[in-house]
């Protein structure tokens, strides 16, 4: 196995600008800056990954499309790698909603995996849908000695941080990376 699994957060969306908990697909579009961020990632990368996948959310698909255009490849949509579902906090941008989301999210990183967002998902729910997708990519590609390319997964910040922390065995306070590299044989 010689490729890397790169977890990439989508570019800036209109929901981000509005500071809205925009978690339910399809969600908001990218801003012009978000499209530029995606193109900058592709240019900085310089070469196409072996596989480019994205979540079902519009902003992730648009990010992948911008990358794909720059690097001349076709992105693939994968279910299960969308954002943490905020439930009753969906589309809210008030301080109380943001604080409640963040407080629950922090508790997840402290080990309370069964605690759910009000009317939404628990950390266990997120991991139970997200980790099998990454495991499948690893087994199909990265564990194959003939595979030499990277896999770029365009997804969402909270889901990526939770998943990366879990894969690395880290708590949120020490998890700031969005790239997970599988050990080489």
């Amino acid at each position: 196995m010689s490729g890397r699994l790169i977890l990439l957060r989508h570019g800036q969306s209109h929901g981000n600008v509005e500071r809205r908990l925009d978690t339910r697909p399809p969600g908001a579009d990218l801003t012009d800056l978000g499209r530029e961020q995606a193109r900058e990632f592709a240019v900085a990368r310089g070469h196409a990954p072996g596989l480019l996948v994205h979540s079902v959310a519009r902003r992730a698909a648009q990010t992948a499309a911008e990358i794909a255009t720059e690097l001349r490849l076709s992105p693939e949509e994968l279910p299960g790698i969308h954002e943490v579902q905020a439930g009753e906090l969906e589309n809210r941008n008030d301080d109380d909603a943001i604080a409640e989301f963040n407080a629950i999210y922090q508790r997840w990183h402290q080990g309370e995996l069964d605690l759910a967002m009000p009317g939404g998902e628990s950390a266990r729910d997120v991991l139970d849908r997200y980790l099998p997708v990454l495991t499948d990519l690893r087994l199909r590609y990265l564990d194959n000695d003939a595979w030499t390319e990277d896999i770029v997964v365009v997804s969402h910040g909270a889901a990526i941080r939770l998943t990366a922390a879990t894969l690395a065995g880290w708590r949120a306070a020490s998890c700031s990376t969005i790239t997970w590299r599988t050990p080489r044989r």
Side-chain angles (χ1 to χ4, degrees):
M1 138 181 71
S2 57
R4 297 174 298 163
L5 181 66
I6 300 170
L7 303 177
L8 177 69
R9 182 187 176 271
H10 61 81
Q12 182 191 67
S13 72
H14 290 284
N16 298 142
V17 171
E18 296 163 6
R19 202 175 146 242
R20 240 181 336 106
L21 290 167
D22 175 27
T23 66
R24 188 178 309 127
D29 287 318
L30 289 180
T31 63
D32 290 342
L33 175 59
R35 291 180 184 283
E36 183 180 326
Q37 290 167 334
R39 289 189 298 271
E40 287 175 359
F41 170 82
V43 169
R45 183 164 170 75
H47 66 283
L51 185 63
L52 173 64
V53 300
H54 60 85
S55 84
V56 298
R58 185 176 294 131
R59 59 195 176 274
Q62 291 170 343
T63 299
E66 293 291 339
I67 294 168
T69 298
E70 286 291 323
L71 298 177
R72 294 182 175 85
L73 68 151
S74 297
E76 179 182 335
E77 181 178 287
L78 292 181
I81 57 172
H82 53 276
E83 183 59 287
V84 169
Q85 296 301 283
E88 296 167 13
L89 303 175
E90 180 69 20
N91 277 321
R92 288 181 52 190
N93 66 353
D94 57 280
D95 291 341
D96 289 342
I98 304 295
E100 185 171 4
F101 182 94
N102 288 335
I104 292 169
Y105 188 76
Q106 183 62 38
R107 288 174 62 186
W108 290 356
H109 284 280
Q110 295 166 348
E112 295 183 54
L113 300 182
D114 292 317
L115 177 65
M117 295 289 167
E121 290 183 301
S122 69
R124 193 168 312 280
D125 294 331
V126 176
L127 295 171
D128 284 350
R129 66 172 163 77
Y130 206 108
L131 289 174
V133 175
L134 298 186
T135 298
D136 182 61
L137 291 171
R138 181 182 57 83
L139 292 172
R140 282 196 296 147
Y141 300 101
L142 300 175
D143 283 354
N144 178 346
D145 290 333
W147 182 266
T148 60
E149 302 293 331
D150 292 342
I151 299 171
V152 174
V153 177
V154 182
S155 185
H156 308 271
I160 287 173
R161 288 187 305 277
L162 179 65
T163 302
T166 300
L167 290 171
W170 296 341
R171 300 269 183 206
S174 63
C175 180
S176 61
T177 183
I178 61 168
T179 301
W180 171 57
R181 294 181 187 203
T182 56
R184 295 186 182 201
R185 292 184 199 175

